[in-house]
């Protein structure tokens, strides 16, 4: 099956080389793909207002917009045909026609909400180059497995894969990063075992710990929603049978810190880090009323101290992966979770941690420039983006169509309003740096009146393959 998928990937590769120019002389040996789940342009703007500064990626040489539309919004396999109504259309998106007796005030708000993608099909699109339905993990519209970037580079180039997330490590985005295929993101236990069985994955880090709740308290009865009792028991055994023969399990903040500073005794060929929390790392904590109350609470108040930071998790993953020859997918999934709850403070909190993680990666790769044995900007493509947008607009957006948030000063929540608790079909920002980053600009052949040149999310697969594969 994998060989068949790799052979089918030759078609995608030929499409890549149809757009590669002589300007792309360097070849990437590594790809780092960072996703702030749900973060649109206004998520960046709101976070910048609160912090009083832009993120490091906003000054990178490649800064573009990207469409994320689904094949169709249904959540199960079916037709392969593209639903033309979901395709991003600036005229539909910016439609200011008032809607009478509806919860959303303008026609553009309605269109972008009802045609929105989810995290599964969006990251799958970037990992396969193929549009698919909401809920799908690396399968096409009919539910057929697709060749993924992780599989392709493992077979063709020997790249190893790592996955880091702040939410459950078998959820939609990390599952799609990992290269496994499933017709439904809801098959959680099945996806967990698929990830652990994928031979090209060296490290997986995230939440979804069955033994702990969202405040780090140990449960009397484990919750096996995200991993089966049999698999979890196997991993806890630490013996030479089953998954524990290859996978070393760590859970405590102390072990994550040791992994990051290089002092942890890694005694298995692969590492699974599951933080001592269930839904997410910080965003679900009960302090200040929790995620679904006290929406005026500011970021960073009463933070948990028993879980690692995302930069620490990423540094640990880099210590497990080879110095050169890897693909690392990183998700700050709590941006999206906070936006679903319309909690602006915790959105900014999670987005700030994401930006700090990008800054860590940027410094890490800059320091190593000139060392051919280490990952650096000499040999590493970094792409920073989201999977989809949320309809976060200005505080006056009920009456002024598509207004942007405005500042209340550093350290204060901006004037902003969530129009819905769901996703939108709006464009998202994408930033890139390193060898192969010019391929994004080549692909950005469409123009939006609000955000300028944009490419589509499915183009990222061809960018990743084109950046890492020697030209014929």
């Amino acid at each position: 099956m994998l060989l068949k998928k790799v052979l089918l990937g030759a078609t995608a590769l030929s499409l890549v080389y149809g757009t590669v120019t002589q300007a792309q002389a360097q070849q990437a040996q590594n790809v780092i793909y960072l996703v702030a789940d749900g973060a649109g342009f206004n998520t960046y703007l709101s976070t910048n207002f609160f912090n009083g500064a832009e993120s490091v990626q906003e000054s990178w040489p490649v800064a573009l917009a990207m469409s994320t539309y689904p094949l169709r919004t249904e959540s199960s396999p079916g037709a392969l045909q593209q639903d033309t109504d979901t395709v991003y259309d600036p005229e539909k998106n910016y439609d200011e026609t008032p809607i009478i007796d509806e919860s959303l005030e303008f026609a553009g708000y309605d269109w972008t909400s009802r045609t929105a993608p989810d995290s599964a099909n969006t990251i799958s699109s970037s990992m396969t180059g193929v549009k698919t339905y909401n809920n799908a993990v690396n399968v096409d519209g009919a539910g057929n497995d697709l060749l993924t970037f992780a599989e392709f580079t493992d077979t063709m180039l020997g790249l190893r894969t790592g996955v880091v997330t702040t939410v459950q490590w078998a959820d939609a985005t990390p599952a799609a990063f990992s290269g496994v295929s499933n017709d439904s993101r809801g098959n959680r236990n099945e996806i967990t075992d698929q990830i652990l069985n994928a031979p090209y994955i060296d490290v997986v880090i995230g939440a979804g710990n069955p033994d702990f709740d969202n405040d780090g308290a140990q449960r009397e009865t484990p919750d096996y929603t995200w991993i089966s009792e049999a698999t979890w028991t196997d991993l806890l055994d630490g013996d030479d049978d089953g998954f524990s023969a290859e996978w070393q399990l760590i859970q405590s903040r102390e072990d994550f810190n040791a992994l990051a500073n290089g002092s942890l005794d890694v005694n298995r060929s692969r590492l699974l880090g599951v933080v001592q929390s269930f839904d997410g790392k910080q965003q679900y904590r009960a302090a200040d009323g929790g995620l679904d109350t006290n929406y005026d609470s500011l970021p960073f108040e009463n933070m948990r101290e028993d879980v690692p930071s995302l930069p620490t998790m990423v540094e640990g993953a880099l210590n497990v992966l080879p110095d050169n020859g890897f693909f690392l997918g990183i998700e700050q999934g709590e941006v999206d979770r906070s936006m679903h709850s319309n909690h602006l403070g915790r959105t900014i909190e999670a987005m700030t941690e994401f930006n700090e993680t990008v800054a860590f990666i940027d410094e890490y790769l800059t320091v190593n420039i000139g060392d051919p044995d280490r990952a650096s900007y000499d040999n590493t493509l970094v792409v920073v983006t989201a999977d989809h947008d949320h309809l976060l607009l200005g505080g006056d957006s009920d009456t002024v169509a598509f207004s942007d948030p405005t500042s209340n000063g550093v350290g204060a929540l901006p004037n902003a309003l969530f129009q819905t608790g769901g996703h939108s079909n709006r464009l998202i920002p994408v930033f890139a740096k390193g060898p192969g980053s010019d391929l994004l600009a080549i692909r950005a052949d469409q123009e939006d009146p609000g955000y300028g040149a944009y490419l589509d999310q499915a183009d990222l697969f061809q960018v990743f393959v084109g950046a890492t594969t020697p030209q014929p």
Side-chain angles (χ1 to χ4, degrees):
M1 176 63 74
L2 180 56
L3 177 60
K4 180 180 179 181
K5 290 198 285 182
V6 171
L7 291 173
L8 290 173
T11 301
L13 193 57
S14 67
L15 292 174
V16 172
Y17 291 133
T19 63
V20 173
T21 68
Q22 294 300 315
Q24 192 220 339
Q26 289 178 292
Q27 177 187 332
Q29 297 174 346
N30 315 294
V31 173
I32 301 178
Y33 181 25
L34 297 106
V35 169
D37 196 317
F41 284 94
N42 284 340
T43 317
Y44 274 87
L45 185 61
S46 298
T47 304
N48 294 347
F49 284 150
F50 183 88
N51 292 327
E54 290 189 342
S55 62
V56 64
Q57 61 267 30
E58 290 172 90
S59 64
W60 282 2
V62 176
L64 298 161
M66 186 166 70
S67 57
T68 67
Y69 62 89
L71 179 73
R72 48 189 170 77
T73 57
E74 290 85 358
S75 58
S76 58
L80 290 170
Q81 289 77 18
Q82 175 66 57
D83 179 351
T84 57
D85 189 44
T86 70
V87 177
Y88 180 76
D89 183 340
E91 185 174 347
K92 293 178 180 178
N93 180 66
Y94 294 109
D95 189 346
E96 298 182 9
T97 303
I99 301 177
I100 308 301
D101 296 328
E102 296 286 344
S103 59
L104 296 172
E105 285 73 16
F106 300 100
Y109 294 4
D110 175 70
W111 175 82
T112 196
S113 298
R114 63 179 172 78
T115 62
D118 78 342
S119 297
N121 69 356
T122 49
I123 299 302
S124 294
S125 174
S126 67
M127 290 288 94
T128 66
V130 177
K131 292 287 186 180
T132 190
Y133 58 92
N134 286 352
N135 217 33
V137 179
N138 295 329
V139 297
D140 67 15
N144 301 307
D145 292 1
L146 293 167
L147 171 74
T148 66
F149 178 67
E151 291 174 317
F152 180 84
T153 53
D154 168 55
T155 302
M156 302 296 291
L157 304 172
L159 267 63
R160 306 300 295 175
T161 291
V163 177
V164 179
T165 180
T166 62
V167 296
Q168 299 96 334
W169 56 273
D171 199 15
T173 296
F177 280 155
S178 75
V180 305
S181 298
N182 203 292
D183 63 8
S184 174
R185 61 183 290 181
N187 296 327
R188 295 164 175 173
N189 284 189
E190 184 178 326
I191 289 171
T192 294
D193 286 358
Q194 286 180 290
I195 292 173
L196 293 174
N197 278 313
Y200 48 82
I201 300 177
D202 279 351
V203 57
V204 177
I205 295 174
N209 195 312
D211 292 330
F212 291 86
D213 68 15
N214 290 321
D215 290 300
Q218 190 151 9
R219 299 180 186 271
E220 292 185 7
T221 303
D223 187 331
Y224 294 112
T225 300
W226 290 94
I227 188 169
S228 70
E229 181 177 4
T231 298
W232 186 244
T233 301
D234 181 358
L235 291 164
L236 287 173
D237 283 345
D239 58 21
D240 293 328
D241 296 325
F243 289 126
S244 58
E246 294 185 40
W247 289 93
Q248 178 176 347
L249 174 66
I250 66 170
Q251 301 181 66
S252 70
R253 179 177 178 173
E254 292 73 22
D255 278 350
F256 280 105
N257 289 339
L259 182 67
N261 65 35
S263 63
L264 183 73
D265 178 20
V266 179
N267 52 36
R268 291 289 191 273
S269 58
R270 303 198 276 174
L271 186 132
L272 174 65
V274 185
V275 302
Q276 292 174 333
S277 196
F278 189 66
D279 289 306
K281 190 168 61 67
Q282 286 283 0
Q283 262 44 48
Y284 290 89
R285 67 189 187 276
D288 305 312
L291 190 59
D292 296 314
T293 58
N294 196 10
Y295 298 105
D296 295 328
S297 63
L298 295 176
F300 317 117
E301 295 181 346
N302 299 307
M303 299 280 285
R304 289 181 58 181
E305 298 182 354
D306 58 339
V307 288
S309 69
L310 183 56
T312 296
M313 296 158 74
V314 169
E315 187 173 12
L318 288 169
N319 284 341
V320 175
L321 290 165
D323 289 333
N324 260 329
F326 65 82
F327 163 62
L328 177 58
I330 302 166
E331 179 202 26
Q332 208 328 333
E334 293 165 302
V335 178
D336 176 75
R337 305 292 180 86
S338 298
M339 297 184 87
H340 276 297
S341 294
N342 292 176
H343 200 304
L344 186 58
R346 293 204 178 176
T347 298
I348 291 170
E349 179 183 293
M351 191 66 196
T352 299
E353 184 182 58
F354 177 78
N355 291 340
E356 291 169 348
T357 305
V358 178
F360 164 76
I361 292 287
D362 190 64
E363 181 179 5
Y364 178 92
L365 297 176
T366 299
V367 168
N368 290 339
I369 288 175
D371 184 346
D373 297 325
R374 302 292 303 279
S376 75
Y377 278 124
D378 293 331
N379 54 30
T380 304
L381 169 63
V382 184
V383 173
V384 176
T385 186
D387 47 358
H388 55 73
D389 177 66
H390 280 258
L391 199 53
L392 174 62
L393 299 172
D396 59 353
S397 57
D398 280 346
T399 56
V400 180
F402 291 100
S403 64
D404 291 330
T406 57
S407 177
N408 280 319
V410 176
L413 295 178
N415 294 311
L417 179 66
F418 290 96
Q419 283 292 333
T420 74
H423 303 167
S424 92
N425 202 1
R426 302 184 80 203
L427 299 181
I428 59 172
V430 57
F431 311 96
K433 190 174 179 179
S437 58
D438 57 314
L439 294 175
L440 279 82
I442 293 170
R443 288 277 173 177
D445 56 1
Q446 301 181 81
E447 192 73 20
D448 182 75
Y451 296 113
Y454 70 95
L455 66 158
D456 183 69
Q457 200 165 44
D459 293 326
L460 288 183
F461 172 76
Q462 294 165 2
V463 168
F464 293 151
V465 173
T468 54
T469 309
Q471 299 180 37

